[in-house]
Amino acid sequence: MSTQPEALETRHLLDLAFVADPRLASFPVDGAPRRAVATVTTVVPGAGDAPPRYRTRLQAFEVGDAATALAQGAEATADLAVPTRALTAGERDTAPRWSPDG
C-alpha cells in the first residue's frame, strides 16, 4: 500500500535553499577539482510574531567534471556540485566574484 506525500505547506519553505549567480573559477589547479561560488538564500523563521526573512550568503562549491559524471549516471542537477564551505556569514551577501589573478 502506498502512502500519499505530505501536502506542501508554507512551513516547508524553511527547508529550501535557493542557489543563484554561480561563478566558476577560471584558475583550476592541476589535479584539483574546479571551484565555484554562488549565492545561497534560505528562509529564516521570525522570532515570536516577527515575519520570516531571507538570508543570502556566499557558498563555495567543488564542481565535478560534468561529462564524466553524467557518463557515470549522475543526476544532472544533484551530483555535479558539492558545497564545501560558507564564505560569508552576513544577512545579505551578494555578487560573488573571483579575483582576475586567482
Side-chain angles (χ1 to χ4, degrees), residues 35-61:
R35 296 205 177 259
V37 64
T39 60
V40 178
T41 302
T42 55
V43 181
V44 179
D49 291 335
R53 66 186 193 284
Y54 290 100
R55 175 183 293 151
T56 302
R57 297 177 173 182
L58 301 183
Q59 176 80 39
F61 294 85

PDB file of all heavy atoms in Angstrom, residues 35-61:
ATOM      1  N   ARG A  35      36.464  24.939  -8.818  1.00  0.00           N
ATOM      2  CA  ARG A  35      35.703  25.589  -7.747  1.00  0.00           C
ATOM      3  C   ARG A  35      34.718  26.590  -8.339  1.00  0.00           C
ATOM      4  O   ARG A  35      34.958  27.167  -9.388  1.00  0.00           O
ATOM      5  CB  ARG A  35      36.635  26.293  -6.784  1.00  0.00           C
ATOM      6  CG  ARG A  35      37.531  25.326  -6.077  1.00  0.00           C
ATOM      7  CD  ARG A  35      37.990  25.892  -4.775  1.00  0.00           C
ATOM      8  NE  ARG A  35      38.798  24.913  -4.077  1.00  0.00           N
ATOM      9  CZ  ARG A  35      38.344  24.162  -3.083  1.00  0.00           C
ATOM     10  NH1 ARG A  35      37.115  24.275  -2.691  1.00  0.00           N
ATOM     11  NH2 ARG A  35      39.126  23.301  -2.488  1.00  0.00           N
ATOM     12  N   ALA A  36      33.631  26.777  -7.612  1.00  0.00           N
ATOM     13  CA  ALA A  36      32.634  27.774  -7.973  1.00  0.00           C
ATOM     14  C   ALA A  36      32.175  28.450  -6.696  1.00  0.00           C
ATOM     15  O   ALA A  36      32.359  27.930  -5.594  1.00  0.00           O
ATOM     16  CB  ALA A  36      31.452  27.119  -8.675  1.00  0.00           C
ATOM     17  N   VAL A  37      31.599  29.616  -6.856  1.00  0.00           N
ATOM     18  CA  VAL A  37      30.992  30.323  -5.737  1.00  0.00           C
ATOM     19  C   VAL A  37      29.614  30.787  -6.217  1.00  0.00           C
ATOM     20  O   VAL A  37      29.430  31.082  -7.396  1.00  0.00           O
ATOM     21  CB  VAL A  37      31.872  31.504  -5.249  1.00  0.00           C
ATOM     22  CG1 VAL A  37      32.015  32.565  -6.306  1.00  0.00           C
ATOM     23  CG2 VAL A  37      31.347  32.084  -3.961  1.00  0.00           C
ATOM     24  N   ALA A  38      28.641  30.788  -5.307  1.00  0.00           N
ATOM     25  CA  ALA A  38      27.282  31.195  -5.653  1.00  0.00           C
ATOM     26  C   ALA A  38      26.608  31.775  -4.417  1.00  0.00           C
ATOM     27  O   ALA A  38      27.064  31.570  -3.288  1.00  0.00           O
ATOM     28  CB  ALA A  38      26.481  29.999  -6.162  1.00  0.00           C
ATOM     29  N   THR A  39      25.511  32.494  -4.642  1.00  0.00           N
ATOM     30  CA  THR A  39      24.706  32.947  -3.512  1.00  0.00           C
ATOM     31  C   THR A  39      23.749  31.822  -3.140  1.00  0.00           C
ATOM     32  O   THR A  39      23.210  31.126  -4.004  1.00  0.00           O
ATOM     33  CB  THR A  39      23.899  34.213  -3.840  1.00  0.00           C
ATOM     34  OG1 THR A  39      23.024  33.938  -4.927  1.00  0.00           O
ATOM     35  CG2 THR A  39      24.807  35.372  -4.191  1.00  0.00           C
ATOM     36  N   VAL A  40      23.560  31.620  -1.841  1.00  0.00           N
ATOM     37  CA  VAL A  40      22.599  30.634  -1.336  1.00  0.00           C
ATOM     38  C   VAL A  40      21.668  31.380  -0.388  1.00  0.00           C
ATOM     39  O   VAL A  40      22.102  31.938   0.617  1.00  0.00           O
ATOM     40  CB  VAL A  40      23.299  29.469  -0.613  1.00  0.00           C
ATOM     41  CG1 VAL A  40      22.269  28.497  -0.053  1.00  0.00           C
ATOM     42  CG2 VAL A  40      24.248  28.750  -1.566  1.00  0.00           C
ATOM     43  N   THR A  41      20.379  31.401  -0.744  1.00  0.00           N
ATOM     44  CA  THR A  41      19.384  32.106   0.051  1.00  0.00           C
ATOM     45  C   THR A  41      18.512  31.094   0.772  1.00  0.00           C
ATOM     46  O   THR A  41      18.017  30.148   0.163  1.00  0.00           O
ATOM     47  CB  THR A  41      18.517  33.013  -0.839  1.00  0.00           C
ATOM     48  OG1 THR A  41      19.376  33.937  -1.512  1.00  0.00           O
ATOM     49  CG2 THR A  41      17.491  33.781  -0.025  1.00  0.00           C
ATOM     50  N   THR A  42      18.339  31.309   2.071  1.00  0.00           N
ATOM     51  CA  THR A  42      17.460  30.470   2.890  1.00  0.00           C
ATOM     52  C   THR A  42      16.427  31.359   3.567  1.00  0.00           C
ATOM     53  O   THR A  42      16.602  32.570   3.679  1.00  0.00           O
ATOM     54  CB  THR A  42      18.258  29.703   3.961  1.00  0.00           C
ATOM     55  OG1 THR A  42      19.011  30.637   4.738  1.00  0.00           O
ATOM     56  CG2 THR A  42      19.207  28.693   3.328  1.00  0.00           C
ATOM     57  N   VAL A  43      15.354  30.746   4.010  1.00  0.00           N
ATOM     58  CA  VAL A  43      14.317  31.462   4.745  1.00  0.00           C
ATOM     59  C   VAL A  43      14.544  31.208   6.227  1.00  0.00           C
ATOM     60  O   VAL A  43      14.667  30.060   6.653  1.00  0.00           O
ATOM     61  CB  VAL A  43      12.905  30.994   4.326  1.00  0.00           C
ATOM     62  CG1 VAL A  43      11.841  31.760   5.093  1.00  0.00           C
ATOM     63  CG2 VAL A  43      12.716  31.147   2.824  1.00  0.00           C
ATOM     64  N   VAL A  44      14.629  32.280   6.997  1.00  0.00           N
ATOM     65  CA  VAL A  44      14.878  32.192   8.435  1.00  0.00           C
ATOM     66  C   VAL A  44      13.575  32.535   9.157  1.00  0.00           C
ATOM     67  O   VAL A  44      12.992  33.592   8.893  1.00  0.00           O
ATOM     68  CB  VAL A  44      15.994  33.165   8.867  1.00  0.00           C
ATOM     69  CG1 VAL A  44      16.236  33.092  10.359  1.00  0.00           C
ATOM     70  CG2 VAL A  44      17.260  32.880   8.087  1.00  0.00           C
ATOM     71  N   PRO A  45      13.098  31.654  10.045  1.00  0.00           N
ATOM     72  CA  PRO A  45      11.841  31.962  10.738  1.00  0.00           C
ATOM     73  C   PRO A  45      11.999  33.181  11.633  1.00  0.00           C
ATOM     74  O   PRO A  45      13.065  33.428  12.202  1.00  0.00           O
ATOM     75  CB  PRO A  45      11.561  30.704  11.565  1.00  0.00           C
ATOM     76  CG  PRO A  45      12.853  29.985  11.650  1.00  0.00           C
ATOM     77  CD  PRO A  45      13.682  30.393  10.474  1.00  0.00           C
ATOM     78  N   GLY A  46      10.932  33.962  11.727  1.00  0.00           N
ATOM     79  CA  GLY A  46      10.946  35.125  12.608  1.00  0.00           C
ATOM     80  C   GLY A  46      10.738  34.710  14.053  1.00  0.00           C
ATOM     81  O   GLY A  46      10.122  33.683  14.341  1.00  0.00           O
ATOM     82  N   ALA A  47      11.253  35.501  14.969  1.00  0.00           N
ATOM     83  CA  ALA A  47      11.075  35.231  16.395  1.00  0.00           C
ATOM     84  C   ALA A  47       9.736  35.803  16.841  1.00  0.00           C
ATOM     85  O   ALA A  47       9.392  36.938  16.508  1.00  0.00           O
ATOM     86  CB  ALA A  47      12.209  35.861  17.193  1.00  0.00           C
ATOM     87  N   GLY A  48       8.979  35.015  17.575  1.00  0.00           N
ATOM     88  CA  GLY A  48       7.687  35.477  18.065  1.00  0.00           C
ATOM     89  C   GLY A  48       6.737  35.781  16.923  1.00  0.00           C
ATOM     90  O   GLY A  48       6.483  34.942  16.072  1.00  0.00           O
ATOM     91  N   ASP A  49       6.243  37.032  16.889  1.00  0.00           N
ATOM     92  CA  ASP A  49       5.303  37.442  15.840  1.00  0.00           C
ATOM     93  C   ASP A  49       5.992  38.027  14.619  1.00  0.00           C
ATOM     94  O   ASP A  49       5.335  38.450  13.677  1.00  0.00           O
ATOM     95  CB  ASP A  49       4.315  38.474  16.398  1.00  0.00           C
ATOM     96  CG  ASP A  49       3.355  37.863  17.418  1.00  0.00           C
ATOM     97  OD1 ASP A  49       3.130  36.642  17.347  1.00  0.00           O
ATOM     98  OD2 ASP A  49       2.843  38.611  18.275  1.00  0.00           O
ATOM     99  N   ALA A  50       7.307  38.074  14.644  1.00  0.00           N
ATOM    100  CA  ALA A  50       8.046  38.645  13.512  1.00  0.00           C
ATOM    101  C   ALA A  50       7.905  37.737  12.291  1.00  0.00           C
ATOM    102  O   ALA A  50       7.895  36.512  12.413  1.00  0.00           O
ATOM    103  CB  ALA A  50       9.512  38.820  13.866  1.00  0.00           C
ATOM    104  N   PRO A  51       7.801  38.329  11.109  1.00  0.00           N
ATOM    105  CA  PRO A  51       7.697  37.507   9.896  1.00  0.00           C
ATOM    106  C   PRO A  51       9.033  36.853   9.565  1.00  0.00           C
ATOM    107  O   PRO A  51      10.092  37.313  10.006  1.00  0.00           O
ATOM    108  CB  PRO A  51       7.306  38.525   8.822  1.00  0.00           C
ATOM    109  CG  PRO A  51       7.850  39.822   9.320  1.00  0.00           C
ATOM    110  CD  PRO A  51       7.765  39.753  10.825  1.00  0.00           C
ATOM    111  N   PRO A  52       8.991  35.797   8.775  1.00  0.00           N
ATOM    112  CA  PRO A  52      10.258  35.188   8.337  1.00  0.00           C
ATOM    113  C   PRO A  52      11.024  36.170   7.456  1.00  0.00           C
ATOM    114  O   PRO A  52      10.469  37.101   6.906  1.00  0.00           O
ATOM    115  CB  PRO A  52       9.821  33.953   7.549  1.00  0.00           C
ATOM    116  CG  PRO A  52       8.359  34.005   7.434  1.00  0.00           C
ATOM    117  CD  PRO A  52       7.837  35.122   8.261  1.00  0.00           C
ATOM    118  N   ARG A  53      12.338  35.932   7.329  1.00  0.00           N
ATOM    119  CA  ARG A  53      13.155  36.788   6.485  1.00  0.00           C
ATOM    120  C   ARG A  53      14.070  35.914   5.641  1.00  0.00           C
ATOM    121  O   ARG A  53      14.271  34.749   5.928  1.00  0.00           O
ATOM    122  CB  ARG A  53      13.966  37.766   7.330  1.00  0.00           C
ATOM    123  CG  ARG A  53      15.005  37.113   8.201  1.00  0.00           C
ATOM    124  CD  ARG A  53      15.683  38.121   9.122  1.00  0.00           C
ATOM    125  NE  ARG A  53      16.866  37.578   9.741  1.00  0.00           N
ATOM    126  CZ  ARG A  53      16.878  36.714  10.751  1.00  0.00           C
ATOM    127  NH1 ARG A  53      15.754  36.300  11.274  1.00  0.00           N
ATOM    128  NH2 ARG A  53      18.018  36.265  11.239  1.00  0.00           N
ATOM    129  N   TYR A  54      14.626  36.513   4.600  1.00  0.00           N
ATOM    130  CA  TYR A  54      15.574  35.817   3.745  1.00  0.00           C
ATOM    131  C   TYR A  54      16.990  36.134   4.200  1.00  0.00           C
ATOM    132  O   TYR A  54      17.301  37.256   4.562  1.00  0.00           O
ATOM    133  CB  TYR A  54      15.410  36.239   2.287  1.00  0.00           C
ATOM    134  CG  TYR A  54      14.128  35.743   1.662  1.00  0.00           C
ATOM    135  CD1 TYR A  54      13.035  36.581   1.533  1.00  0.00           C
ATOM    136  CD2 TYR A  54      14.028  34.437   1.202  1.00  0.00           C
ATOM    137  CE1 TYR A  54      11.855  36.127   0.960  1.00  0.00           C
ATOM    138  CE2 TYR A  54      12.863  33.977   0.631  1.00  0.00           C
ATOM    139  CZ  TYR A  54      11.782  34.833   0.505  1.00  0.00           C
ATOM    140  OH  TYR A  54      10.631  34.369  -0.053  1.00  0.00           O
ATOM    141  N   ARG A  55      17.868  35.130   4.160  1.00  0.00           N
ATOM    142  CA  ARG A  55      19.290  35.309   4.460  1.00  0.00           C
ATOM    143  C   ARG A  55      20.067  34.822   3.230  1.00  0.00           C
ATOM    144  O   ARG A  55      19.911  33.679   2.807  1.00  0.00           O
ATOM    145  CB  ARG A  55      19.694  34.505   5.685  1.00  0.00           C
ATOM    146  CG  ARG A  55      21.204  34.566   5.951  1.00  0.00           C
ATOM    147  CD  ARG A  55      21.607  33.717   7.131  1.00  0.00           C
ATOM    148  NE  ARG A  55      21.046  34.299   8.345  1.00  0.00           N
ATOM    149  CZ  ARG A  55      20.716  33.588   9.426  1.00  0.00           C
ATOM    150  NH1 ARG A  55      20.878  32.291   9.440  1.00  0.00           N
ATOM    151  NH2 ARG A  55      20.234  34.188  10.482  1.00  0.00           N
ATOM    152  N   THR A  56      20.903  35.689   2.676  1.00  0.00           N
ATOM    153  CA  THR A  56      21.693  35.337   1.499  1.00  0.00           C
ATOM    154  C   THR A  56      23.164  35.378   1.866  1.00  0.00           C
ATOM    155  O   THR A  56      23.660  36.381   2.372  1.00  0.00           O
ATOM    156  CB  THR A  56      21.412  36.297   0.335  1.00  0.00           C
ATOM    157  OG1 THR A  56      20.018  36.252   0.027  1.00  0.00           O
ATOM    158  CG2 THR A  56      22.205  35.906  -0.901  1.00  0.00           C
ATOM    159  N   ARG A  57      23.845  34.278   1.614  1.00  0.00           N
ATOM    160  CA  ARG A  57      25.274  34.148   1.921  1.00  0.00           C
ATOM    161  C   ARG A  57      26.006  33.617   0.696  1.00  0.00           C
ATOM    162  O   ARG A  57      25.399  33.051  -0.194  1.00  0.00           O
ATOM    163  CB  ARG A  57      25.468  33.204   3.103  1.00  0.00           C
ATOM    164  CG  ARG A  57      24.825  33.740   4.360  1.00  0.00           C
ATOM    165  CD  ARG A  57      24.954  32.806   5.501  1.00  0.00           C
ATOM    166  NE  ARG A  57      24.454  33.455   6.716  1.00  0.00           N
ATOM    167  CZ  ARG A  57      24.468  32.908   7.885  1.00  0.00           C
ATOM    168  NH1 ARG A  57      24.960  31.702   8.058  1.00  0.00           N
ATOM    169  NH2 ARG A  57      24.000  33.547   8.929  1.00  0.00           N
ATOM    170  N   LEU A  58      27.318  33.755   0.708  1.00  0.00           N
ATOM    171  CA  LEU A  58      28.130  33.202  -0.374  1.00  0.00           C
ATOM    172  C   LEU A  58      28.651  31.837   0.047  1.00  0.00           C
ATOM    173  O   LEU A  58      29.115  31.651   1.169  1.00  0.00           O
ATOM    174  CB  LEU A  58      29.298  34.130  -0.705  1.00  0.00           C
ATOM    175  CG  LEU A  58      28.920  35.541  -1.131  1.00  0.00           C
ATOM    176  CD1 LEU A  58      30.173  36.325  -1.502  1.00  0.00           C
ATOM    177  CD2 LEU A  58      27.934  35.536  -2.269  1.00  0.00           C
ATOM    178  N   GLN A  59      28.557  30.867  -0.856  1.00  0.00           N
ATOM    179  CA  GLN A  59      28.944  29.483  -0.586  1.00  0.00           C
ATOM    180  C   GLN A  59      29.920  29.020  -1.654  1.00  0.00           C
ATOM    181  O   GLN A  59      29.732  29.277  -2.840  1.00  0.00           O
ATOM    182  CB  GLN A  59      27.685  28.602  -0.614  1.00  0.00           C
ATOM    183  CG  GLN A  59      27.921  27.128  -0.452  1.00  0.00           C
ATOM    184  CD  GLN A  59      28.121  26.745   0.994  1.00  0.00           C
ATOM    185  OE1 GLN A  59      27.460  27.261   1.870  1.00  0.00           O
ATOM    186  NE2 GLN A  59      29.034  25.852   1.238  1.00  0.00           N
ATOM    187  N   ALA A  60      30.972  28.327  -1.237  1.00  0.00           N
ATOM    188  CA  ALA A  60      31.927  27.731  -2.180  1.00  0.00           C
ATOM    189  C   ALA A  60      31.463  26.316  -2.524  1.00  0.00           C
ATOM    190  O   ALA A  60      30.869  25.623  -1.697  1.00  0.00           O
ATOM    191  CB  ALA A  60      33.319  27.688  -1.566  1.00  0.00           C
ATOM    192  N   PHE A  61      31.743  25.901  -3.751  1.00  0.00           N
ATOM    193  CA  PHE A  61      31.385  24.572  -4.233  1.00  0.00           C
ATOM    194  C   PHE A  61      32.568  23.956  -4.962  1.00  0.00           C
ATOM    195  O   PHE A  61      33.339  24.670  -5.597  1.00  0.00           O
ATOM    196  CB  PHE A  61      30.215  24.648  -5.235  1.00  0.00           C
ATOM    197  CG  PHE A  61      28.921  25.099  -4.652  1.00  0.00           C
ATOM    198  CD1 PHE A  61      28.636  26.444  -4.517  1.00  0.00           C
ATOM    199  CD2 PHE A  61      27.978  24.171  -4.236  1.00  0.00           C
ATOM    200  CE1 PHE A  61      27.429  26.872  -3.985  1.00  0.00           C
ATOM    201  CE2 PHE A  61      26.780  24.589  -3.706  1.00  0.00           C
ATOM    202  CZ  PHE A  61      26.501  25.934  -3.582  1.00  0.00           C
TER     203      PHE A  61
END
